[in-house]
């Protein structure tokens, strides 16, 4: 596989197509599964699985890019070692555009000038290798190294090969630097591929819809809405997984469907995905519509009644929408604020919420600080609150240092931080 990849890279312009722009077969299925399960799996499980994928598919840029991103965000202690491993790999393979690009992706934000050198070399070795061009576009699109002309040139080089398999990163950059004509050309190529591929799913079309409405003039939006309606019908006929119902609901709304049709699809979401974040949003918006906030800010009786209703609803929502992680912590804080829990019950409830969030996402200073604030507001367990605040402070210092060490920051942005 490695030898085959290097042979392809050496041909430059022959790189366009699914084999380079999108992982196919078992590799693509494995990467999709990892992304889809990321919201439910623990942070340590996500790390283990992406490490296994990286070992199984050493020539996959997208898998390794996901791995680099996860370590950078969530594993501060292990991140420097992983970064250096990619740099050493590039040093051992100076003629391999993939190794050079992965090293550059790892060095981006810590030694960005060197990353630019590696990417420039990768593009010289293989002008058709799309990932080096995309990474350069990411670097040049903003911050200290911003160069809009270079960003556009590299984005064009990437889309020349991969418009049909546009990544979320490329879509973001297009929104910042590309003109309507360029976005429209990419949208047409992406639609042609999705419409011809029976395996295309809701997440593919979600990006397409956004790109089309941003690219086409308002005079063509009516035709676009009709096309979105057809897309939704096609996707529903494929019986999509319930986790995509939120995306399909967005499509129903963009299609210009009637209020009745939208409400009917919302009811379907509530029935088929009752614990999802989309179901929570629907329920919350309906609750707000039926429970208007008092117009007079001085009407304390009306506000007290509204807050009581909201607390009752929050308790029900925390029990129902267990996929919305922050709801439980919010509910626990409300219980403590209302004096429903003893001091020990309050500590246990907040500890459980902190541990659940840490298991899912890793330690977060905001969770510890919020829990400490909740205790202190009721004059409960000051020693435990101090312990959590000290943990929050340590984590916040680490987060601030990581932000300040970003060498792509402008002087003004660094001053703000």
């Amino acid at each position: 596989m490695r030898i085959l990849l290097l042979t392809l890279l050496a041909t430059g312009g022959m790189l366009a197509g699914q084999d380079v722009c999108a992982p196919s077969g078992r590799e693509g299925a494995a990467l999709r599964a990892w992304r889809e399960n990321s919201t439910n799996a623990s942070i340590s499980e996500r790390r283990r699985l992406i490490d296994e994928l990286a070992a199984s598919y050493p020539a996959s840029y997208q898998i390794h890019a996901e791995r680099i991103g996860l370590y950078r965000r969530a594993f501060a202690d292990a991140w420097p070692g992983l970064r250096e491993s990619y740099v050493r790999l590039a040093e051992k393979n100076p003629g391999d555009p993939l190794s050079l690009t992965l090293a550059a992706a790892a060095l981006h934000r810590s030694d960005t000038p060197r990353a630019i050198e590696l990417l420039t070399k990768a593009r010289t070795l293989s002008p058709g290798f799309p990932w080096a061009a995309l990474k350069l576009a990411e670097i040049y699109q903003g911050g200290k190294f911003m160069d809009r002309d270079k960003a556009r040139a590299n984005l064009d080089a990437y889309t020349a090969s991969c418009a049909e398999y546009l990544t979320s990163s490329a879509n973001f950059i297009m929104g910042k630097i590309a003109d309507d004509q360029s976005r429209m050309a990419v949208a047409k190529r992406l639609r042609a591929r999705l419409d011809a591929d029976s395996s295309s799913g809701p997440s593919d079309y979600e990006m397409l819809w956004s790109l089309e409405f941003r690219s086409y003039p308002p005079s063509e939006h009516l035709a676009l809405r009709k096309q979105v309606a057809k897309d939704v019908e096609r996707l529903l006929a494929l019986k999509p997984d319930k986790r995509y119902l939120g995306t399909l609901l967005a499509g129903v709304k963009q299609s210009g469907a009637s209020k009745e049709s939208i409400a009917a699809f919302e009811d379907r979401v509530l029935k088929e995905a009752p614990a999802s974040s989309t179901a929570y949003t629907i329920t919350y918006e309906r609750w707000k519509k039926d429970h208007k906030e008092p117009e007079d800010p001085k009407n304390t009786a009306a506000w007290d009644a509204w807050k009581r209703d909201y607390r009752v609803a929050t308790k029900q929502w925390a029990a129902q929408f267990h996929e919305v992680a922050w709801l439980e912590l919010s509910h626990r804080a409300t219980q403590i604020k209302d004096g429903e829990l003893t001091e020990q019950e309050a500590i246990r409830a907040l500890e459980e919420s902190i541990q659940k969030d840490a298991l899912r996402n890793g330690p977060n200073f905001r969770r510890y600080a919020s829990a400490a604030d909740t205790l202190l507001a009721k004059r409960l367990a000051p020693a435990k609150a101090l312990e959590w605040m000290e943990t929050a402070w340590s984590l916040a210092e680490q987060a601030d240092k990581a932000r300040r060490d970003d060498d792509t920051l402008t002087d003004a942005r660094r001053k703000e931080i």
Side-chain angles (χ1 to χ4, degrees), residues 55-343:
S56 298
Y57 301 100
S60 171
Y61 173 80
Q62 288 179 286
I63 285 176
H64 285 272
E66 291 280 8
R67 187 184 186 213
I68 288 169
L70 180 66
Y71 272 76
R72 190 198 301 271
R73 290 190 309 271
F75 298 102
D77 292 341
W79 165 234
L82 183 76
R83 180 178 59 214
E84 288 308 308
S85 72
Y86 282 106
V87 173
R88 288 194 300 271
L89 183 63
E91 291 171 347
K92 292 178 181 178
N93 299 278
D96 177 12
L98 175 62
S99 297
L100 296 174
T101 302
L102 288 174
L107 288 169
H108 183 207
R109 301 190 183 283
S110 61
D111 190 352
T112 303
R114 187 179 179 192
I116 292 173
E117 290 178 7
L118 292 171
L119 292 168
T120 302
K121 181 179 180 181
R123 292 220 61 207
T124 301
L125 288 169
S126 182
F129 186 53
W131 303 118
L134 178 59
K135 195 64 196 179
L136 278 170
E138 291 175 4
I139 292 172
Y140 288 130
Q141 59 82 29
K144 181 179 178 179
F145 300 92
M146 182 175 180
D147 187 320
R148 297 181 72 86
D149 290 338
K150 290 182 178 179
R152 288 193 189 97
N154 281 284
L155 181 64
D156 288 345
Y158 166 78
T159 56
S161 294
C162 299
E164 292 83 357
Y165 298 92
L166 200 67
T167 67
S168 57
S169 171
N171 187 41
F172 171 77
I173 298 170
M174 287 190 68
K176 293 189 67 176
I177 64 172
D179 56 29
D180 288 343
Q181 185 176 1
S182 298
R183 288 195 294 264
M184 196 181 302
V186 170
K188 288 179 178 179
R189 287 174 59 184
L190 179 57
R191 174 166 286 285
R193 197 270 295 179
L194 294 182
D195 288 350
D197 185 356
S198 60
S199 65
S200 300
S203 58
D204 298 314
Y205 277 94
E206 184 177 28
M207 182 183 295
L208 173 63
W209 298 333
S210 172
L211 186 58
E212 287 179 330
F213 278 106
R214 282 186 287 134
S215 307
Y216 287 81
S219 59
E220 298 187 40
H221 283 190
L222 178 60
L224 283 179
R225 285 193 286 273
K226 291 180 179 178
Q227 180 60 58
V228 172
K230 293 180 181 177
D231 294 338
V232 172
E233 288 182 9
R234 175 188 179 185
L235 292 168
L236 287 173
L238 298 174
K239 302 187 186 314
D241 188 287
K242 66 179 182 180
R243 78 185 106 196
Y244 293 116
L245 289 175
T247 299
L248 291 170
L249 174 59
V252 171
K253 292 178 178 179
Q254 290 181 73
S255 73
S258 66
K259 290 182 179 179
E260 293 76 14
S261 296
I262 293 173
F265 200 91
E266 288 178 341
D267 290 340
R268 175 174 177 174
V269 175
L270 294 174
K271 180 180 179 181
E272 297 183 17
S276 66
S277 59
T278 303
Y280 164 71
T281 300
I282 294 168
T283 302
Y284 177 64
E285 292 298 330
R286 290 182 177 184
W287 186 91
K288 279 205 309 181
K289 185 177 180 181
D290 294 337
H291 297 79
K292 300 290 187 183
E293 293 184 358
E295 296 182 1
D296 184 0
K298 297 180 180 180
N299 189 341
T300 55
W303 274 104
D304 287 344
W306 185 90
K307 290 176 181 177
R308 282 195 300 271
D309 289 344
Y310 181 72
R311 285 195 292 270
V312 171
T314 300
K315 182 178 181 179
Q316 295 172 344
W317 297 337
Q320 178 180 351
F321 304 112
H322 54 79
E323 293 181 17
V324 186
W326 62 267
L327 262 178
E328 181 183 6
L329 184 60
S330 176
H331 170 55
R332 296 301 191 190
T334 300
Q335 284 184 305
I336 295 167
K337 181 180 178 181
D338 292 343
E340 295 179 13
L341 303 180
T342 66
E343 182 175 82

